[in-house]
Amino acid sequence: MPNPNKVTERLFQSPSKYIQGPYAIQNAAKYLGKLGNAPLLLCDDIVWKIAGEDLVKALSGAGFKVQRAVFGGEASREEIDRLSALGRKESSDFVIALGGGKTIDTAKTVADDLGKQVAIVPTTASTDAPCSALSVLYRPSGEFHCYTFFDKNPNVVLVDTTVISKAPPRFLAAGMGDAIATNVEARRCLNSPNFGGGLPTEVSAAIGQKCEEILFKYGKQAYEANKAHAVTPALEAVVEANTLLSGLGFESGGLAAAHAIHNGMTAIEELHSLLHGEKVAFGTICQLVLDGVPTSELDRYIDFMLSVDLPVNFEQLGIPKVKDEELRRVAELACAEGETIWNLDRVINVDLVFGAIKAADAAGSDYIRRSGWKRT
Ligand SMILES: [Zn+2]
């Protein structure tokens, strides 16, 4: 399973440039100038009001001719085809993604279809999508469809922490849910080729560890700063962990059970309103159970998740009455051929994954009882 082609090369890949700071959008022309001057800008109507107008102002002032395209909301093949046709019609010379994970994944695929470069300007720190050379595509109904891979990573990732500090804190928390999986997954798939097709390097392991260290150290503080819309060193550190470290860490380190279980969970309709990282957080508890970690370690992760209001049991996920048949279906999908769960360095099957999902819910509930945790 983990390495059928017996790959021996180590491989690390990353975006060409990553920039992060307060009011960074105001300097967009300086960083995007090398990509072209007639970009196709993908963003939805909500993001347009939050940051779109400012970005276009900054670029237009420097002579860019920006074509705005309204993103429909789902990273689906249909939406990508529609936007690619628009880019062709407008002769766009590069693509900008302004928004969250689905906008970003759509823009990366549109740029790949057009054979153009792409700049990512995330308006939330909610996923590890901005830095990677892959997109997760969904069906128009919202169910997981497939991963698509590109020859190169985004050319520029520009993160404006002032914009991110104004986003609802739930997005930052979801990004932490996605980022907390990075080290948990990467440390268990050292012998499997990563998303670039090579074995993980020392640096990808170090990135995963640093990512986790930042979350435990600053996660709660950054979450509270976000509630106050304040850009602080803790918030900057967590934005970097969620966006750069999590992105580099998963791509060159590898994903395993947490993301595979997340993908399976997208088949439960009641979970469609949850963010990617919220489901990945629960998937991380499932993987820790599968990994057989000691209770003290499991508690540490659950405690962290609760501190930033991430779901740790079925009730918090909003599926208190979920049936065993549904959970078995999640386990089956998590164990589908080609899923990242097969990167794990040991034998796995549907029964083990089904059991881990049930036990993760029980562990989350048990910790809430023992610790007397209450939502504040
Ligand atoms: Zn993810």
Side-chain angles (χ1 to χ4, degrees):
M1 48 173 203
N3 193 349
N5 299 323
K6 302 198 168 40
V7 173
T8 50
E9 293 89 5
R10 294 169 173 232
L11 183 152
F12 178 81
Q13 63 187 59
S14 70
S16 310
K17 208 170 265 189
Y18 178 89
I19 306 112
Q20 177 186 312
Y23 300 108
I25 278 179
Q26 289 178 6
N27 298 321
K30 184 167 124 189
Y31 299 112
L32 305 191
K34 288 208 171 67
L35 306 184
N37 62 10
L40 181 72
L41 169 65
L42 262 65
C43 74
D44 62 31
D45 285 329
I46 298 167
V47 167
W48 172 254
K49 289 200 191 81
I50 295 167
E53 285 165 329
D54 288 346
L55 179 61
V56 170
K57 206 167 121 200
L59 293 175
S60 303
F64 285 73
K65 205 175 119 301
V66 182
Q67 175 63 47
R68 185 188 163 202
V70 181
F71 173 55
E74 193 52 85
S76 65
R77 197 60 245 181
E78 290 78 354
E79 181 66 355
I80 289 156
D81 290 344
R82 181 182 75 80
L83 293 163
S84 297
L86 181 65
R88 256 178 231 114
K89 184 168 148 255
E90 298 295 333
S91 305
S92 304
D93 57 9
F94 74 103
V95 179
I96 303 175
L98 180 71
K102 294 203 180 199
T103 310
I104 293 165
D105 278 356
T106 302
K108 284 193 283 190
T109 318
V110 169
D112 188 66
D113 280 3
L114 297 174
K116 304 292 181 193
Q117 304 193 84
V118 64
I120 310 291
V121 188
T123 50
T124 63
S126 59
T127 73
D128 51 19
C131 294
S132 70
L134 66 94
S135 284
V136 185
L137 300 189
Y138 293 83
R139 302 203 186 275
S141 60
E143 247 176 82
F144 172 75
H145 178 202
C146 62
Y147 290 101
T148 44
F149 299 91
F150 315 118
D151 289 341
K152 50 186 174 42
N153 295 66
N155 304 83
V156 175
V157 178
L158 177 69
V159 186
D160 186 324
T161 41
T162 307
V163 170
I164 284 174
S165 72
K166 289 178 186 155
R170 182 182 170 194
F171 288 106
L172 188 79
M176 290 193 257
D178 205 10
I180 197 73
T182 308
N183 191 42
V184 170
E185 295 190 280
R187 71 187 178 191
R188 288 286 189 265
C189 40
L190 297 175
N191 296 314
S192 298
N194 57 30
F195 283 100
L199 293 175
T201 61
E202 294 293 336
V203 81
S204 50
I207 284 170
Q209 289 156 15
K210 187 72 189 174
C211 181
E212 184 173 292
E213 182 193 317
I214 289 172
L215 297 178
F216 279 113
K217 232 184 194 167
Y218 297 117
K220 172 70 172 161
Q221 192 189 141
Y223 185 56
E224 297 304 320
N226 193 174
K227 287 181 189 168
H229 306 307
V231 178
T232 62
L235 184 82
E236 290 277 5
V238 169
V239 170
E240 188 181 329
N242 287 8
T243 313
L244 183 63
L245 303 182
S246 180
L248 300 180
F250 98 77
E251 185 169 36
S252 290
L255 295 180
H259 271 79
I261 291 169
H262 159 274
N263 292 343
M265 285 165 77
T266 63
I268 298 182
E269 212 178 312
E270 291 92 325
L271 295 177
H272 285 184
S273 59
L274 291 190
L275 299 167
H276 170 80
E278 292 171 335
K279 284 170 279 183
V280 171
F282 184 74
T284 303
I285 305 176
C286 299
Q287 176 163 343
L288 289 164
V289 169
L290 265 181
D291 288 344
V293 302
T295 310
S296 56
E297 193 179 347
L298 192 57
D299 283 356
R300 201 165 76 89
Y301 285 92
I302 294 173
D303 184 73
F304 164 74
M305 289 174 194
L306 288 170
S307 78
V308 293
D309 297 323
L310 285 167
V312 302
N313 62 11
F314 295 152
E315 193 181 334
Q316 293 187 348
L317 283 165
I319 48 168
K321 297 204 167 82
V322 66
K323 296 193 183 81
D324 276 2
E325 301 96 84
E326 291 174 282
L327 298 176
R328 187 160 279 281
R329 178 79 188 127
V330 171
E332 282 165 6
L333 289 168
C335 293
E337 204 184 319
E339 255 303 350
T340 55
I341 203 161
W342 301 114
N343 289 338
L344 283 173
D345 48 13
R346 78 205 109 89
V347 176
I348 284 293
N349 61 35
V350 172
D351 281 340
L352 286 170
V353 176
F354 171 73
I357 297 170
K358 300 265 288 182
D361 164 65
S365 302
D366 172 55
Y367 183 80
I368 290 172
R369 262 193 311 272
R370 270 190 286 126
S371 65
W373 178 87
K374 290 230 158 35
R375 193 178 293 278
T376 47

